[in-house]
Amino acid sequence: MQELNDFLSLFSSLVWGWPMIILLLGTHIYLTLILRFPQRWIFTAIRLSVRRDSKARGDVSQFASLATALAATIGTGNIVGVATAIALGGPGAVLWCWLTGVFGISTKYAEGLLAVKYRVKTVDGRMLGGPMYAIERGLGWKWLAVVFALLTTVTAFGIGNSVQANAIATLAHEAYGIAPWQSGIFVCVFTGAVILGGIKSISRVCSLLVPFMALFYVGGCIYILFVNAPYLWPALKLIVHSAFSPQAAGGGFAGSTVMMAARYGIARGLFSNESGLGSAPIVAAAAQTRNPVRQALVSSSGTFWDTVVVCALTGLVIVSSVLAYPDITFDNGAVLTKMAFSKIPVVGTPLLSFGLLTFAFSTLLGWCYYGERAVEYLRGRNWVVVYRVLYIAAVFVGSIVELNLVWNLADCMNALMAIPNLISLLALSGVLVHETRKYLWRGRLDRDM
């Protein structure tokens, strides 16, 4: 296992080098420019996300689609992921993570647009879509679509499954002394109970769980920031300075360089908001929407909530807490976050435990749907049941394996999955501009396809 972990760590450092960072962040910036800063439509996007449209076509409402996508993205990346980015890349990683989210809004918009435009309707009336369909139908590159679907199937076992299960098991063991195998069995049972019901069951649970868990966690973060108020400005200055300083970071943090801060910040940013990864458009394709741009806007709001709000709050909580409390150390990401929340009297640790449990569990649900659709694209619907059984079993395995191994595997698979999706976004940029001009720039958001 140690040899495998060392290999994955080396491979992760290679795939997350400057070429990948330039490709990802460059795509974010390029799409932001050619689409005329879709970030300025974020409040329109939020309004559309909570509005039900009886005339739209699709399997689930726009809000249910967004909730499922948020369920898959608001997970351990927002809690443990931000903490590990800070521990490995220094406080400057927080800024790179946040910038990835701001510019990633454009990429998430583009993904949602293509997902709806190129989605297909099955004989039983279901809507299927995502990058594999956009690549095949928009570009005619069937081989690349198959590659993406294969990577999605495997990635679901990493970012969406084992990482989440491992985070739950680790925190349950450290906070309450529960054995990892016991946590694994518990999570397996509840995961299976939901995913066997398909997209409607998953979206129904996520629609109820996501708003509650997000407000609960954000409230805890705001309370800690209120207590740490004298350290907020120093924390902000340290984050900005460390993001661009070639010197070792100060303030009690491990030394880091600009490259390390950018690498871990952008990698964890992608892990958290999944902009450019190509996962969220798979569920966006099932949304009830009149035209591709309406759902594209709704999809983009997911990155805003996930990274611009939740990840930013987590980063500020951790950095300000390290400055405020000298006893907080960098054993690992999960412990770093736990120590920051433990400063809330009585309810701090239970608050984090509940937040991590609900975040990770909802991510398990959302990513199971992504994997199912990739399997259906590759082998047909009959293989979905087999995939669900393997997915549930992987929850238990993820609960008992080493954390570093799980994270390194997830980082590697994230990068490989993102590459074909980013290629398709760049190759279909003309389509993105055309559709955006047709519906958004000309004020025709209520127009049907």
Side-chain angles (χ1 to χ4, degrees), residues 263-321:
R263 176 196 163 191
Y264 287 108
I266 294 175
R268 293 296 184 259
L270 174 62
F271 181 91
S272 173
N273 62 54
E274 299 177 13
S275 294
L277 188 61
S279 52
I282 296 175
V283 71
Q288 296 167 349
T289 185
R290 295 190 182 192
N291 58 65
V293 170
R294 285 175 71 95
Q295 181 55 36
L297 289 171
V298 173
S299 295
S300 71
S301 68
T303 298
F304 172 79
W305 293 120
D306 178 85
T307 307
V308 179
V309 176
V310 178
C311 278
L313 287 173
T314 301
L316 282 174
V317 162
I318 293 173
V319 177
S320 63
S321 294

Side-chain angles (χ1 to χ4, degrees), residues 176-242:
Y176 306 105
I178 301 174
W181 68 268
Q182 293 175 319
S183 301
I185 292 175
F186 178 82
V187 179
C188 277
V189 171
F190 278 86
T191 302
V194 177
I195 66 175
L196 293 178
I199 179 57
K200 293 187 181 297
S201 174
I202 293 173
S203 63
R204 183 164 53 248
V205 172
C206 292
S207 296
L208 295 173
L209 191 60
V210 167
F212 174 72
M213 72 182 190
L215 288 174
F216 196 69
Y217 179 74
V218 167
C221 288
I222 292 175
Y223 176 81
I224 296 177
L225 293 178
F226 177 78
V227 173
N228 294 348
Y231 299 92
L232 279 183
W233 182 243
L236 284 169
K237 290 196 296 184
L238 180 60
I239 288 171
V240 175
H241 177 264
S242 301

Side-chain angles (χ1 to χ4, degrees), residues 9-43:
S9 178
L10 176 62
F11 186 68
S12 175
S13 65
L14 292 175
V15 295
W16 279 109
W18 278 115
M20 182 60 191
I21 290 176
I22 292 172
L23 176 62
L24 179 62
L25 200 55
T27 300
H28 289 346
I29 296 172
Y30 172 71
L31 292 175
T32 295
L33 294 175
I34 68 168
L35 297 175
R36 301 180 185 176
F37 291 85
Q39 292 90 338
R40 60 196 174 102
W41 298 88
I42 192 63
F43 293 109

Side-chain angles (χ1 to χ4, degrees), residues 109-119 130 134 424-425 428 431-432:
Y109 167 91
E111 292 174 321
L113 191 157
L114 295 179
V116 175
K117 179 172 179 58
Y118 292 111
R119 67 183 180 181
S424 69
L425 291 174
L428 293 170
V431 175
L432 295 171

